[in-house]
Amino acid sequence: MTTTLTPRRSRPPAQPDSLRAKRLPGYAAPALAVLALLVSAGLVYGVDLGGPVLVVVLGALLYLAGLFAAANAVEGRRSARNRFWSALIHSALVLAVLPLASVVWTLFSKGTARLDGDFFGSSMNNIGARDANGGAYHAIVGTLEQVGIATAITVPLGVLCAIYIVEYGRGRFAFTIRFFVDVMTGIPSIVTGLFVLAFWVLIVSPWFNDGQPGFSGFAAALALSVLMLPTVVRSTEEMLRLVPAPLREGAYALGVPKWKTILRVVLPTALPGIVTGIMLSIARAAGETAPVLLVAGGGAAINFNPFENNQSSLALFVYQQAGEASKYSPARAWTAALTLVVLVLVLTVAAKLLARRNRLGR
């Protein structure tokens, strides 16, 4: 009887320590970061150069320099460069998030002082400098009406203009439209307010107001629509260009007309991006102060009619309360700013969910 012996596999020889790559321990980077912040805080506060922002910036620079020196001494120059650029990218991310986190924290810490029923259920009518009451109900109504009218005007015009540029536009006319849209993107808000003031308030509105110029929320909505239009056009144009050409070609191959292809294939595919661009334009319009101040005039009373009399907005309310000589005004301004941010956030989330639901339904 023959017995077959299976050769035993030999283990690979252990590499000597000289062939193993040396690496910094896992705690080295956090330890260097803490040490850099401590040294930075000692320098800044010891010499009285600034505050916590300078401590973070200087600490980030010291951390990058220390990490590069330690990695270069232990791991070599190539690995040190890799660690340096990775740490630089993460440090840039932290420095970019810090201002946003600071703004959010400031809004919530100072904006909750007047989160009560009186603030959301009353206006500033008959409220003096020594009165602790008063709210922003009139400003909330004005913001919703002005932004709503501006959106109803801008979205159809902007989407149709983008469809023409992408799907039909050829030659000089399309180039001219694109050029003027780009120019309108950089127009200051005060210019749009002056344009609507000179055209609508001083020329057109007297025809409907017994010869007298009239401020109104509708005039503010016209000014806001001028600001929103280039953002809607450019964002919609870019989203339509991202729709794959085979989707259009497949619809054409089945004999579907071009207009129906755009309506049933192209627009639903680009809808999430289009909604994002629209919400960006709404956020910009909701935060504008100068056009509303010029053509709506502002006001302390509640005005539900956007076509007659003065009307306020949340952004204008914040501006006015920040300049009031009253100890109660700053709390109203911070709460109104928080309300504006939350309002835009809620509208953005709702629009995103609606666009996602329509896309899944198809």
Side-chain angles (χ1 to χ4, degrees):
M1 183 176 181
T2 306
T3 303
T4 304
L5 298 177
T6 303
R8 298 177 62 182
R9 295 182 179 179
S10 58
R11 297 179 179 179
Q15 295 181 355
D17 294 338
S18 59
L19 297 179
R20 295 179 182 177
K22 296 182 179 179
R23 298 186 62 84
L24 289 174
Y27 60 84
L32 285 173
V34 173
L35 180 61
L37 287 176
L38 292 177
V39 173
S40 175
L43 291 175
V44 171
Y45 291 115
V47 191
D48 196 14
L49 295 176
V53 176
L54 183 60
V55 170
V56 174
V57 174
L58 183 59
L61 296 177
L62 293 176
Y63 167 70
L64 292 175
L67 183 64
F68 180 81
N72 187 34
V74 176
E75 301 177 349
R77 192 170 187 81
R78 182 176 181 180
S79 181
R81 289 178 179 177
N82 181 54
R83 281 186 176 272
F84 174 80
W85 288 108
S86 299
L88 181 62
I89 293 173
H90 289 89
S91 301
L93 174 63
V94 172
L95 292 178
V97 171
L98 280 179
L100 177 61
S102 176
V103 170
V104 173
W105 170 255
T106 304
L107 277 176
F108 276 94
S109 61
K110 296 185 177 182
T112 55
R114 284 297 314 275
L115 283 178
D116 50 40
D118 181 69
F119 182 82
F120 294 102
S122 63
S123 67
M124 293 297 296
N125 199 22
N126 298 324
I127 299 296
R130 297 183 179 181
D131 296 328
N133 297 326
Y137 180 64
H138 63 298
I140 296 173
V141 171
T143 297
L144 292 176
E145 291 184 350
Q146 294 163 19
V147 174
I149 294 174
T151 303
I153 296 173
T154 305
V155 171
L157 289 177
V159 173
L160 290 176
C161 182
I163 290 175
Y164 172 79
I165 293 175
V166 176
E167 302 293 339
Y168 298 97
R170 299 293 185 272
R172 294 183 178 179
F173 185 63
F175 174 79
T176 303
I177 293 177
R178 191 179 296 109
F179 173 77
F180 279 106
V181 169
D182 292 338
V183 171
M184 289 175 62
T185 305
I187 292 180
S189 60
I190 189 69
V191 176
T192 63
L194 290 173
F195 168 73
V196 175
L197 176 66
F199 173 70
W200 181 265
V201 176
L202 299 180
I203 297 178
V204 179
S205 66
W207 296 353
F208 309 97
N209 196 27
D210 298 330
Q212 297 295 325
F215 296 104
S216 63
F218 181 73
L222 291 179
L224 297 180
S225 65
V226 176
L227 293 174
M228 294 171 61
L229 186 61
T231 304
V232 174
V233 173
R234 291 298 294 168
S235 60
T236 304
E237 178 187 355
E238 295 301 326
M239 291 302 104
L240 293 178
R241 292 187 186 279
L242 291 177
V243 176
L247 293 179
R248 297 182 176 89
E249 296 170 355
Y252 297 153
L254 295 174
V256 180
K258 188 171 185 177
W259 67 269
K260 188 174 290 187
T261 301
I262 296 172
L263 186 63
R264 298 295 182 86
V265 177
V266 178
L267 286 179
T269 305
L271 184 61
I274 295 175
V275 171
T276 301
I278 292 173
M279 295 313 301
L280 287 175
S281 65
I282 290 176
R284 181 189 178 186
E288 289 294 341
T289 304
V292 183
L293 180 63
L294 283 174
V295 299
I302 301 172
N303 180 17
F304 291 100
N305 188 357
F307 300 98
E308 293 182 0
N309 300 325
N310 293 18
Q311 195 175 54
S312 185
S313 68
L314 279 172
L316 182 57
F317 180 82
V318 172
Y319 171 76
Q320 291 174 338
Q321 291 299 310
E324 288 287 337
S326 172
K327 64 178 181 179
Y328 304 108
S329 296
R332 299 192 196 107
W334 282 111
T335 305
L338 178 61
T339 303
L340 180 60
V341 172
V342 173
L343 180 63
V344 173
L345 178 62
V346 170
L347 291 176
T348 303
V349 173
K352 282 288 190 179
L353 292 177
L354 182 61
R356 182 181 180 185
R357 180 180 178 183
N358 291 338
R359 187 176 182 183
L360 293 177
R362 292 176 181 272

PDB file of all heavy atoms in Angstrom, residues 315-326 329-334:
ATOM      1  N   ALA A 315     -37.423  90.150   4.770  1.00  0.00           N
ATOM      2  CA  ALA A 315     -36.093  90.756   4.632  1.00  0.00           C
ATOM      3  C   ALA A 315     -36.133  92.243   4.966  1.00  0.00           C
ATOM      4  O   ALA A 315     -35.250  92.764   5.663  1.00  0.00           O
ATOM      5  CB  ALA A 315     -35.573  90.543   3.214  1.00  0.00           C
ATOM      6  N   LEU A 316     -37.161  92.942   4.499  1.00  0.00           N
ATOM      7  CA  LEU A 316     -37.294  94.358   4.819  1.00  0.00           C
ATOM      8  C   LEU A 316     -37.594  94.553   6.299  1.00  0.00           C
ATOM      9  O   LEU A 316     -37.118  95.522   6.920  1.00  0.00           O
ATOM     10  CB  LEU A 316     -38.400  94.971   3.961  1.00  0.00           C
ATOM     11  CG  LEU A 316     -38.654  96.468   4.137  1.00  0.00           C
ATOM     12  CD1 LEU A 316     -37.392  97.266   3.869  1.00  0.00           C
ATOM     13  CD2 LEU A 316     -39.786  96.929   3.227  1.00  0.00           C
ATOM     14  N   PHE A 317     -38.356  93.666   6.893  1.00  0.00           N
ATOM     15  CA  PHE A 317     -38.648  93.733   8.325  1.00  0.00           C
ATOM     16  C   PHE A 317     -37.368  93.596   9.147  1.00  0.00           C
ATOM     17  O   PHE A 317     -37.163  94.321  10.131  1.00  0.00           O
ATOM     18  CB  PHE A 317     -39.650  92.638   8.684  1.00  0.00           C
ATOM     19  CG  PHE A 317     -40.038  92.606  10.129  1.00  0.00           C
ATOM     20  CD1 PHE A 317     -41.011  93.465  10.618  1.00  0.00           C
ATOM     21  CD2 PHE A 317     -39.439  91.731  11.019  1.00  0.00           C
ATOM     22  CE1 PHE A 317     -41.375  93.459  11.959  1.00  0.00           C
ATOM     23  CE2 PHE A 317     -39.792  91.698  12.350  1.00  0.00           C
ATOM     24  CZ  PHE A 317     -40.766  92.575  12.824  1.00  0.00           C
ATOM     25  N   VAL A 318     -36.496  92.672   8.756  1.00  0.00           N
ATOM     26  CA  VAL A 318     -35.213  92.506   9.454  1.00  0.00           C
ATOM     27  C   VAL A 318     -34.383  93.782   9.346  1.00  0.00           C
ATOM     28  O   VAL A 318     -33.787  94.252  10.327  1.00  0.00           O
ATOM     29  CB  VAL A 318     -34.449  91.306   8.877  1.00  0.00           C
ATOM     30  CG1 VAL A 318     -33.042  91.226   9.456  1.00  0.00           C
ATOM     31  CG2 VAL A 318     -35.197  90.011   9.153  1.00  0.00           C
ATOM     32  N   TYR A 319     -34.349  94.354   8.140  1.00  0.00           N
ATOM     33  CA  TYR A 319     -33.576  95.587   7.932  1.00  0.00           C
ATOM     34  C   TYR A 319     -34.113  96.726   8.786  1.00  0.00           C
ATOM     35  O   TYR A 319     -33.334  97.473   9.413  1.00  0.00           O
ATOM     36  CB  TYR A 319     -33.625  95.953   6.450  1.00  0.00           C
ATOM     37  CG  TYR A 319     -33.058  97.318   6.129  1.00  0.00           C
ATOM     38  CD1 TYR A 319     -31.684  97.529   6.101  1.00  0.00           C
ATOM     39  CD2 TYR A 319     -33.901  98.387   5.848  1.00  0.00           C
ATOM     40  CE1 TYR A 319     -31.161  98.784   5.810  1.00  0.00           C
ATOM     41  CE2 TYR A 319     -33.395  99.634   5.558  1.00  0.00           C
ATOM     42  CZ  TYR A 319     -32.029  99.830   5.537  1.00  0.00           C
ATOM     43  OH  TYR A 319     -31.520 101.068   5.250  1.00  0.00           O
ATOM     44  N   GLN A 320     -35.428  96.869   8.840  1.00  0.00           N
ATOM     45  CA  GLN A 320     -36.017  97.965   9.610  1.00  0.00           C
ATOM     46  C   GLN A 320     -35.833  97.771  11.112  1.00  0.00           C
ATOM     47  O   GLN A 320     -35.508  98.719  11.837  1.00  0.00           O
ATOM     48  CB  GLN A 320     -37.496  98.095   9.265  1.00  0.00           C
ATOM     49  CG  GLN A 320     -37.749  98.588   7.844  1.00  0.00           C
ATOM     50  CD  GLN A 320     -39.216  98.561   7.475  1.00  0.00           C
ATOM     51  OE1 GLN A 320     -40.015  97.838   8.077  1.00  0.00           O
ATOM     52  NE2 GLN A 320     -39.586  99.333   6.461  1.00  0.00           N
ATOM     53  N   GLN A 321     -36.029  96.546  11.589  1.00  0.00           N
ATOM     54  CA  GLN A 321     -35.892  96.301  13.020  1.00  0.00           C
ATOM     55  C   GLN A 321     -34.441  96.410  13.475  1.00  0.00           C
ATOM     56  O   GLN A 321     -34.165  96.805  14.607  1.00  0.00           O
ATOM     57  CB  GLN A 321     -36.443  94.922  13.369  1.00  0.00           C
ATOM     58  CG  GLN A 321     -37.951  94.816  13.237  1.00  0.00           C
ATOM     59  CD  GLN A 321     -38.672  95.773  14.164  1.00  0.00           C
ATOM     60  OE1 GLN A 321     -38.403  95.840  15.352  1.00  0.00           O
ATOM     61  NE2 GLN A 321     -39.609  96.533  13.609  1.00  0.00           N
ATOM     62  N   ALA A 322     -33.513  96.058  12.617  1.00  0.00           N
ATOM     63  CA  ALA A 322     -32.099  96.172  12.982  1.00  0.00           C
ATOM     64  C   ALA A 322     -31.675  97.623  13.151  1.00  0.00           C
ATOM     65  O   ALA A 322     -30.702  97.907  13.866  1.00  0.00           O
ATOM     66  CB  ALA A 322     -31.230  95.494  11.927  1.00  0.00           C
ATOM     67  N   GLY A 323     -32.391  98.545  12.507  1.00  0.00           N
ATOM     68  CA  GLY A 323     -32.044  99.956  12.633  1.00  0.00           C
ATOM     69  C   GLY A 323     -32.910 100.727  13.603  1.00  0.00           C
ATOM     70  O   GLY A 323     -32.712 101.941  13.753  1.00  0.00           O
ATOM     71  N   GLU A 324     -33.856 100.071  14.249  1.00  0.00           N
ATOM     72  CA  GLU A 324     -34.733 100.752  15.193  1.00  0.00           C
ATOM     73  C   GLU A 324     -34.011 101.026  16.512  1.00  0.00           C
ATOM     74  O   GLU A 324     -33.212 100.217  16.986  1.00  0.00           O
ATOM     75  CB  GLU A 324     -35.979  99.905  15.471  1.00  0.00           C
ATOM     76  CG  GLU A 324     -36.960  99.843  14.320  1.00  0.00           C
ATOM     77  CD  GLU A 324     -37.726 101.143  14.139  1.00  0.00           C
ATOM     78  OE1 GLU A 324     -37.824 101.917  15.118  1.00  0.00           O
ATOM     79  OE2 GLU A 324     -38.232 101.377  13.026  1.00  0.00           O
ATOM     80  N   ALA A 325     -34.328 102.182  17.097  1.00  0.00           N
ATOM     81  CA  ALA A 325     -33.735 102.557  18.387  1.00  0.00           C
ATOM     82  C   ALA A 325     -34.612 102.032  19.522  1.00  0.00           C
ATOM     83  O   ALA A 325     -35.228 102.799  20.267  1.00  0.00           O
ATOM     84  CB  ALA A 325     -33.576 104.066  18.468  1.00  0.00           C
ATOM     85  N   SER A 326     -34.693 100.729  19.631  1.00  0.00           N
ATOM     86  CA  SER A 326     -35.490 100.096  20.680  1.00  0.00           C
ATOM     87  C   SER A 326     -34.765  98.848  21.153  1.00  0.00           C
ATOM     88  O   SER A 326     -34.177  98.116  20.344  1.00  0.00           O
ATOM     89  CB  SER A 326     -36.881  99.738  20.153  1.00  0.00           C
ATOM     90  OG  SER A 326     -37.596  98.970  21.106  1.00  0.00           O
ATOM     91  N   SER A 329     -36.164  95.635  19.463  1.00  0.00           N
ATOM     92  CA  SER A 329     -36.060  95.423  18.014  1.00  0.00           C
ATOM     93  C   SER A 329     -35.073  94.323  17.622  1.00  0.00           C
ATOM     94  O   SER A 329     -35.362  93.549  16.707  1.00  0.00           O
ATOM     95  CB  SER A 329     -35.680  96.740  17.327  1.00  0.00           C
ATOM     96  OG  SER A 329     -36.701  97.694  17.496  1.00  0.00           O
ATOM     97  N   PRO A 330     -33.883  94.215  18.238  1.00  0.00           N
ATOM     98  CA  PRO A 330     -32.961  93.148  17.820  1.00  0.00           C
ATOM     99  C   PRO A 330     -33.547  91.749  17.940  1.00  0.00           C
ATOM    100  O   PRO A 330     -33.320  90.903  17.073  1.00  0.00           O
ATOM    101  CB  PRO A 330     -31.759  93.346  18.758  1.00  0.00           C
ATOM    102  CG  PRO A 330     -31.800  94.778  19.134  1.00  0.00           C
ATOM    103  CD  PRO A 330     -33.245  95.130  19.216  1.00  0.00           C
ATOM    104  N   ALA A 331     -34.333  91.492  18.981  1.00  0.00           N
ATOM    105  CA  ALA A 331     -34.940  90.166  19.125  1.00  0.00           C
ATOM    106  C   ALA A 331     -35.929  89.898  17.996  1.00  0.00           C
ATOM    107  O   ALA A 331     -35.993  88.784  17.458  1.00  0.00           O
ATOM    108  CB  ALA A 331     -35.644  90.058  20.483  1.00  0.00           C
ATOM    109  N   ARG A 332     -36.701  90.928  17.609  1.00  0.00           N
ATOM    110  CA  ARG A 332     -37.619  90.751  16.480  1.00  0.00           C
ATOM    111  C   ARG A 332     -36.851  90.495  15.192  1.00  0.00           C
ATOM    112  O   ARG A 332     -37.250  89.672  14.369  1.00  0.00           O
ATOM    113  CB  ARG A 332     -38.492  91.995  16.321  1.00  0.00           C
ATOM    114  CG  ARG A 332     -39.375  92.321  17.509  1.00  0.00           C
ATOM    115  CD  ARG A 332     -40.386  93.395  17.115  1.00  0.00           C
ATOM    116  NE  ARG A 332     -41.011  94.013  18.273  1.00  0.00           N
ATOM    117  CZ  ARG A 332     -40.755  95.241  18.700  1.00  0.00           C
ATOM    118  NH1 ARG A 332     -39.862  95.984  18.048  1.00  0.00           N
ATOM    119  NH2 ARG A 332     -41.364  95.726  19.761  1.00  0.00           N
ATOM    120  N   ALA A 333     -35.734  91.209  14.998  1.00  0.00           N
ATOM    121  CA  ALA A 333     -34.948  91.040  13.768  1.00  0.00           C
ATOM    122  C   ALA A 333     -34.370  89.626  13.675  1.00  0.00           C
ATOM    123  O   ALA A 333     -34.429  88.988  12.612  1.00  0.00           O
ATOM    124  CB  ALA A 333     -33.830  92.078  13.718  1.00  0.00           C
ATOM    125  N   TRP A 334     -33.809  89.119  14.781  1.00  0.00           N
ATOM    126  CA  TRP A 334     -33.230  87.774  14.756  1.00  0.00           C
ATOM    127  C   TRP A 334     -34.314  86.710  14.533  1.00  0.00           C
ATOM    128  O   TRP A 334     -34.112  85.755  13.777  1.00  0.00           O
ATOM    129  CB  TRP A 334     -32.490  87.502  16.055  1.00  0.00           C
ATOM    130  CG  TRP A 334     -31.139  88.141  16.129  1.00  0.00           C
ATOM    131  CD1 TRP A 334     -30.752  89.174  16.933  1.00  0.00           C
ATOM    132  CD2 TRP A 334     -29.990  87.794  15.353  1.00  0.00           C
ATOM    133  NE1 TRP A 334     -29.441  89.496  16.711  1.00  0.00           N
ATOM    134  CE2 TRP A 334     -28.936  88.652  15.748  1.00  0.00           C
ATOM    135  CE3 TRP A 334     -29.742  86.848  14.367  1.00  0.00           C
ATOM    136  CZ2 TRP A 334     -27.670  88.599  15.186  1.00  0.00           C
ATOM    137  CZ3 TRP A 334     -28.466  86.776  13.802  1.00  0.00           C
ATOM    138  CH2 TRP A 334     -27.454  87.647  14.215  1.00  0.00           C
TER     139      TRP A 334
END
